[in-house]
Amino acid sequence: ATFARQFGDIREMGAGKRDREHPHRNPISASEILFYRGILARAFFDTDKGSQEFAYIPDDLLKLISHRDTESQRKIQKESPRLRDSAAKIDPLGRPASPTEKGTEILSNDSILDDATTLLAALRMGRSNWSRSIPVGQFDQRLVALLISANLISNNTIQAEPVKIFLEASRADAMKMLHDAWLESDSFNELKLMPSIICEGEWKNSPRDTRNAILGFIQTIPANKWWSVTEFIRAIKQSHPDFQRPAGDYDSWFIKRASDGQYLRGFDSWNEVDGALIRYFINTLHWLGRVDLSMAEVAGEATAFRVSPFEGRKEERGKIGVSSNGKISIPRDAPRVVRYQIARFCEWDERGLDTPRDDQRGYSTTRNEYKYHITAKSLKHAKEQGLKAEQL
């Protein structure tokens, strides 16, 4: 499919149609010119992703081409060792960000840990409306999907022992737990979590294979260097467009645009599906503390990114403030396990920064403190969950 998009189709014809239309005399593409001269052939071959159709050069011809190619390589190696060495390196896809693509920097952070703590406390309390202070959106689904992958949640119920280990771990170790869980997950499906599209039907994709493919592209980019998001996506479209599509199939997945319900099928929809997925993937890496983002002044989304893992804080030593009227403020750098426990005894201040949220552009934001207050109602609710006031 990739070959045909670049060099043209080879029309399907039976013997009768070939006799009538003489495609060898009237080819419609470079592919047909090569095909009817015996230079190019087509067949299905087994791959690690199943049987796929390939355009290939027949063995007897390939030997002649390979012989000439080998002689050319020997000449290059003899005349220019430097050229030989540079040819062995993998060139990064895309290009460095231009000055106009660099703007407001959105540095990676570890606020995902605070959001996870809030969500775990909410689920433990049975708060179905835990996110009522913000619209329940795609960010919530993504966080839930990640915590499921990390075995912290199962069937909307927290798993007590894994949660205890997660909350008591250092922030750096907890970030690594979430990153590793995401990296190895077969259930965290970036394509089906994207807010701009709706996936329908029983078809299946392979999120882990897709993840490894995109990470492979990103690993070619120099660390700590700002890179153009648009040109990175464009380069993948040019050289590896089928990175998530088995056999280059753009028709069997039922995907529609969320804004108007229009189905997105065929290679013409690549930018809205596959290209948008790469952008969403970069944002997910930022959410996981692995890349920084930069937004040009007039842009509505990230225009550049930089591979720069967040180092994280080693300790959580923030002091909790308690007032005589039962108001409690917990700074972001307080121990997460303590906030998790206190939250279960209290009402959550809806005006405070007590719920996970993205900013309007979909990038995670940091928060300074969480606010709660103790009431008779909250203590009664805690008692119903098996907690005692003495524990508070």
Side-chain angles (χ1 to χ4, degrees):
T2 304
F3 186 90
R5 282 195 300 271
Q6 187 169 358
F7 301 109
D9 287 325
I10 300 173
R11 292 170 290 179
E12 296 285 353
M13 290 190 184
K17 188 173 183 180
R18 284 200 302 270
D19 291 341
R20 291 192 305 273
E21 298 195 10
H22 304 291
H24 58 290
R25 297 177 183 172
N26 303 292
I28 63 168
S29 64
S31 298
E32 283 198 346
I33 293 173
L34 297 173
F35 180 75
Y36 285 108
R37 282 158 179 74
I39 298 173
L40 172 72
R42 58 189 296 183
F44 283 88
F45 297 110
D46 290 331
T47 73
D48 56 358
K49 296 180 179 180
S51 181
Q52 296 188 28
E53 189 176 20
F54 286 85
Y56 71 96
I57 299 172
D59 290 343
D60 53 350
L61 181 59
L62 180 60
K63 292 177 182 178
L64 299 176
I65 296 175
S66 299
H67 176 70
R68 295 193 60 177
D69 186 58
T70 301
E71 290 184 342
S72 299
Q73 288 297 325
R74 287 173 181 168
K75 185 177 181 181
I76 290 174
Q77 293 175 6
K78 182 178 179 180
E79 295 179 356
S80 180
R82 182 179 298 177
L83 183 60
R84 176 196 63 206
D85 294 339
S86 64
K89 297 179 181 179
I90 301 176
D91 292 330
L93 295 170
R95 59 162 172 75
S98 65
T100 57
E101 290 173 318
K102 288 185 288 186
T104 303
E105 294 184 3
I106 309 171
L107 301 182
S108 60
N109 58 66
D110 59 1
S111 63
I112 187 176
L113 298 179
D114 307 306
D115 295 343
T117 302
T118 301
L119 176 54
L120 291 170
L123 291 175
R124 184 65 180 84
M125 295 170 65
R127 287 187 60 163
S128 60
N129 61 341
W130 65 275
S131 58
R132 66 188 179 208
S133 63
I134 58 168
V136 177
Q138 211 65 25
F139 177 74
D140 306 335
Q141 295 181 32
R142 185 171 63 168
L143 182 58
V144 170
L146 180 61
L147 297 188
I148 291 173
S149 297
N151 297 318
L152 299 176
I153 299 175
S154 178
N155 297 321
N156 287 327
T157 303
I158 71 166
Q159 304 301 295
E161 190 59 31
V163 166
K164 181 177 183 293
I165 295 172
F166 171 72
L167 293 175
E168 292 180 348
S170 69
R171 294 185 77 93
D173 288 344
M175 284 292 287
K176 187 176 186 304
M177 289 180 191
L178 294 182
H179 175 266
D180 291 350
W182 165 78
L183 190 64
E184 300 297 326
S185 176
D186 290 315
S187 62
F188 189 96
N189 195 332
E190 288 87 349
L191 180 65
K192 295 187 177 181
L193 287 169
M194 286 171 56
S196 60
I197 62 173
I198 299 173
C199 298
E200 297 180 336
E202 300 299 322
W203 56 270
K204 295 182 180 180
N205 64 320
S206 177
R208 191 171 177 179
D209 288 343
T210 298
R211 191 176 304 127
N212 289 335
I214 300 178
L215 286 173
F217 302 147
I218 292 177
Q219 286 171 358
T220 66
I221 296 174
N224 297 313
K225 190 174 186 65
W226 286 108
W227 211 252
S228 168
V229 173
T230 300
E231 291 303 317
F232 179 66
I233 295 173
R234 182 177 296 154
I236 294 176
K237 183 179 182 180
Q238 179 67 31
S239 57
H240 305 282
D242 304 331
F243 66 91
Q244 70 162 340
R245 304 276 188 162
D249 178 12
Y250 289 85
D251 294 310
S252 64
W253 293 0
F254 289 92
I255 300 174
K256 63 183 181 181
R257 192 184 297 123
S259 60
D260 59 6
Q262 178 69 38
Y263 280 98
L264 303 171
R265 303 183 70 177
F267 190 73
D268 291 341
S269 298
W270 193 94
N271 290 336
E272 291 188 83
V273 179
D274 306 75
L277 174 64
I278 299 170
R279 186 179 295 277
Y280 183 80
F281 191 91
I282 292 172
N283 291 340
T284 298
L285 283 175
H286 170 69
W287 181 57
L288 289 166
R290 294 288 160 165
V291 303
D292 299 326
L293 301 176
S294 180
M295 183 176 296
E297 185 176 351
V298 296
E301 53 191 0
T303 49
F305 70 101
R306 176 177 63 186
V307 179
S308 179
F310 179 68
E311 297 296 333
R313 289 177 297 280
K314 295 182 179 180
E315 299 181 359
E316 296 177 322
R317 293 187 173 182
K319 302 298 182 181
I320 296 169
V322 184
S323 65
S324 59
N325 62 0
K327 299 283 186 179
I328 301 177
S329 61
I330 305 180
R332 182 169 176 262
D333 59 349
R336 285 166 293 123
V337 66
V338 175
R339 181 166 73 85
Y340 170 82
Q341 297 290 6
I342 289 177
R344 298 171 58 194
F345 284 95
C346 300
E347 295 283 348
W348 296 12
D349 190 343
E350 299 293 353
R351 295 169 298 173
L353 298 170
D354 60 343
T355 53
R357 62 189 176 92
D358 282 338
D359 68 7
Q360 294 179 349
R361 299 162 299 189
Y363 308 120
S364 58
T365 56
T366 58
R367 48 198 61 71
N368 295 319
E369 66 177 12
Y370 299 82
K371 297 181 180 180
Y372 306 92
H373 58 276
I374 305 168
T375 67
K377 180 181 177 181
S378 69
L379 291 177
K380 180 181 179 182
H381 182 68
K383 184 178 180 180
E384 292 171 351
Q385 304 234 348
L387 298 174
K388 297 180 181 180
E390 292 81 1
Q391 293 173 315
L392 176 59

